[in-house]
Amino acid sequence: AFPVTPEEAPKVGDAMRAMQIRGLNVTVPHKQAVMAVVDEVSPEAQAIGAVNTIDHRDGRLVGHNTDAHGVLASLREDGGLQQLPACVALLGAGGAARAILYALLAAEEVERVTLLNRTVARAEALAADLRAGSRVTVAPIDDVPSMADVGLVINATSIGMQPEADASPLGDGSCLHDRMVVLDIVYKPLRTQLLEQARSVGARTVDGLGMLVHQGVRAFEIWTGVTPPANVMREAI
Ligand code: NAP
């Protein structure tokens, strides 16, 4: 890992060329800033509005986003969801939520997404950016609407992440029920308060490790053309 300050982020492209670094993964808080560093942005990363993977070929840098692939692969593999439910609640409107909403909207079977965020205007802007139309309803995260019809809840806020690991983005979690899958993409810690709440009502739970592994699997494929063994990567993490 190379820790990079926001001031130094614009130099990353030159550094990759000078050091002939073949590829990089990019994480918080640089996923949007590096879009200006690369020579080309893939259509998917352009639509999402964030780059998490840079592919360097003969001096030319191409930005990709593999988070959308990662979340869908994890929901299939860890959540047992070959098809997504018609009603989904997505918590958060930051960089990760952008990629996840893109993935949800690309799935035709998803009819309605409730997008809950602390800053409602940011959630509204995200829904507008992704041209979500009537498929997305925005609400404040501290005023959760009924989730009786919701079959999948995804936490893409940083609530529950260290050092504030005692909190849940859904308060006391009383809106959760046993007919839903709950994915918390926070991976430090892996057992979050939200997942404990979901477990206690009998919901199926998925932690953030699968998404992390699968975004890395896709990045590795982009760099090398080789599909790496996801189970070996997961065990190593
Ligand atoms: P981000 O762009 O900074 O977005 C943070 C989100 O959390 C925003 O929606 C923000 O709401 C909300 N939030 C933060 N603190 C809050 C608080 N105290 N109360 C209410 N809402 C709060 O971060 P990100 O890149 O999307 O990452 C979010 C989380 O996902 C992180 O924990 C990250 O590690 C994890 N992640 C995991 C994977 C994976 O592969 N498993 C991939 C990407 C990210 P506002 O808009 O109101 O500020």
Side-chain angles (χ1 to χ4, degrees):
F2 302 102
V4 176
T5 62
E7 296 73 35
E8 298 278 78
K11 299 180 189 164
V12 162
D14 287 341
M16 284 183 80
R17 290 187 189 92
M19 296 171 72
Q20 294 162 52
I21 294 174
R22 182 66 181 75
L24 282 183
N25 257 161
V26 181
T27 189
V28 191
H30 300 306
K31 290 185 187 180
Q32 275 156 312
V34 296
M35 291 181 79
V37 164
V38 296
D39 301 301
E40 186 186 332
V41 176
S42 76
E44 190 175 47
Q46 191 73 55
I48 292 168
V51 160
N52 79 331
T53 300
I54 303 179
D55 186 31
H56 179 195
R57 280 172 201 263
D58 305 323
R60 189 168 172 78
L61 305 178
V62 182
H64 297 265
N65 190 304
T66 67
D67 283 333
H69 167 86
V71 74
L72 291 177
S74 174
L75 286 170
R76 260 195 318 271
E77 202 168 278
D78 310 319
L81 294 174
Q82 297 310 320
Q83 267 221 320
L84 297 180
C87 295
V88 181
L90 174 59
L91 321 178
R98 294 190 79 87
I100 294 170
L101 185 60
Y102 174 88
L104 294 174
L105 293 173
E108 282 173 10
E109 66 269 28
V110 174
E111 291 168 13
R112 190 159 52 80
V113 179
T114 306
L115 185 59
L116 303 164
N117 198 42
R118 174 178 59 182
T119 311
V120 170
R122 194 176 183 199
E124 283 168 347
L126 170 55
D129 279 358
L130 295 189
R131 298 189 176 82
S134 58
R135 286 172 83 195
V136 173
T137 311
V138 171
I141 200 165
D142 55 4
D143 187 14
V144 180
S146 164
M147 289 212 188
D149 295 342
V150 171
L152 170 64
V153 175
I154 303 176
N155 176 40
T157 74
S158 36
I159 305 174
M161 191 171 79
Q162 282 164 4
E164 291 170 81
D166 290 341
S168 163
L170 290 177
D172 64 3
S174 55
C175 56
L176 301 171
H177 54 73
D178 64 359
R179 302 176 306 285
M180 53 175 47
V181 174
V182 178
L183 162 63
D184 196 337
I185 72 161
V186 168
Y187 52 83
K188 269 184 193 173
L190 274 179
R191 287 177 78 101
T192 60
Q193 189 65 28
L194 174 67
L195 292 185
E196 293 297 343
Q197 291 171 337
R199 232 170 252 130
S200 74
V201 298
R204 181 165 183 163
T205 59
V206 181
D207 66 37
L209 207 55
M211 177 176 171
L212 185 65
V213 166
H214 282 287
Q215 64 78 30
V217 165
R218 184 76 197 104
F220 196 91
E221 286 172 348
I222 289 170
W223 296 322
T224 66
V226 172
T227 300
N231 57 338
V232 174
M233 292 169 69
R234 189 188 286 255
E235 272 170 35
I237 291 181

